[in-house]
DNA sequence: CGGTATCCCTGAAGATACTG
DNA sequence: CAGTATCTTCAGGGATACCG
């Protein structure tokens, strides 16, 4: 249900308060057709539910259900794992391996678009260009 | 690092005590070439490390590092999420949606190969045919 | 704004044969 | 037993055009 590229990121952003199609689309940079399918699947799985727009506009919103909010613990465990194991030494590096043979290619640091090295707490939101979840 | 189809399942099985190439291969049913690449990547990421075979055979084993063992918390959060949200009512169902449009196709139950309905604690090991992790 | 429909491409995974 | 090399398939994702 949440093993694909985007679903867990959508849930994460929903936990941060996002509710609208356009919010998810812009914050994640996901293609709109994909987002449509992911949102529908999450609704079908009872992780999100459709709610009337809170701002009175004609559109709908996507709200987390209990099952969806419960995923916080998974996200939090993942976040902690990342923080403890990749930032305690101060190095925010990412391992790159050759896709075919799994051999190391290079390691690079996670930097913001302005070149600044990212702090741990930022990396949940700001990821390297080309990675999902920006 | 662990977002692909197999890596987290390999770590899970490693947490259950598996250490050998062949053990992972048989228990997960993953293609051997893929397993090679995944194991190498996990080693490169410092989640697994290569150790001499404990049984004295000429081969090596894959042992979890601290970073790898720390993933237990992620797996455990995931397991609990699954148990609480999909088994508290007694129904072990899986949602199937159309890949292209995300619309519901059908729901089916998780059954063992003999047709018996699976208990929650079994589903971490026994998944429906066609799913990874068997 | 919030989608839907269509086309295309890539890369993840599988099958299979071979090897030390 | 534990891989490696090669080929193939296919689902996931992206781009784009269109719509109410």
């Amino acid at each position: 249900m949440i093993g694909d590229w985007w679903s867990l990121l959508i849930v994460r952003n929903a936990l941060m308060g996002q509710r609208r199609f356009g919010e998810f689309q812009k914050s994640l940079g996901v293609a709109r057709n994909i987002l449509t399918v992911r949102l529908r699947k999450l609704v079908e799985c009872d992780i999100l539910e459709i709610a009337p727009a809170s701002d009175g506009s004609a559109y709908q919103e996507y709200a987390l259900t209990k099952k969806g909010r419960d995923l916080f613990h998974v996200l939090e465990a993942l976040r902690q794992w990342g923080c403890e194991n990749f930032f305690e030494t101060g190095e925010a590096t990412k391992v790159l391996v050759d896709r075919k043979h799994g051999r190391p290619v290079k390691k690079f640091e996670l930097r913001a678009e302005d070149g600044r090295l990212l702090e741990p707490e930022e990396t949940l939101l700001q990821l390297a260009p080309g990675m999902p979840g920006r």
Side-chain angles (χ1 to χ4, degrees), chain A:
Chain A
M1 297 181 186
I2 53 167
D4 63 277
W5 201 247
W6 292 112
S7 293
L8 209 50
L9 293 166
I10 292 171
V11 171
R12 181 199 65 183
N13 286 22
L15 280 166
M16 302 189 310
Q18 295 184 13
R19 301 167 63 95
R20 293 287 282 262
F21 186 94
E23 280 184 301
F24 294 123
Q25 203 277 317
K26 267 187 281 190
S27 60
L28 295 172
V30 55
R32 289 205 306 282
N33 51 347
I34 302 299
L35 181 57
T36 300
V37 174
R38 287 294 100 88
L39 287 173
R40 197 173 322 186
K41 184 177 180 181
L42 289 170
V43 168
E44 192 55 33
C45 291
D46 191 32
I47 289 169
L48 293 178
E49 63 187 353
I50 293 183
S54 51
D55 64 350
S57 73
Y59 304 107
Q60 54 191 4
E61 294 187 348
Y62 296 89
L64 286 163
T65 62
K66 175 194 177 309
K67 194 188 292 189
R69 286 190 302 275
D70 279 357
L71 275 173
F72 168 77
H73 300 294
V74 174
L75 259 348
E76 178 58 18
L78 220 33
R79 190 195 62 75
Q80 252 193 269
W81 182 73
C83 285
E84 286 176 13
N85 289 289
F86 298 99
F87 290 103
E88 57 185 0
T89 57
E91 12 124 38
T93 57
K94 184 175 187 310
V95 177
L96 242 207
V97 297
D98 170 49
R99 165 174 63 84
K100 200 115 192 169
H101 302 98
R103 300 207 181 85
V105 175
K106 61 171 179 175
K107 304 187 180 190
F108 61 87
E109 298 156 321
L110 293 175
R111 293 182 184 278
E113 277 161 9
D114 59 7
R116 187 176 43 87
L117 244 182
L118 291 173
E119 295 303 314
E121 57 272 14
E122 287 180 288
T123 58
L124 276 177
L125 295 176
Q126 311 231 7
L127 291 173
M131 299 297 291
R134 277 202 299 157

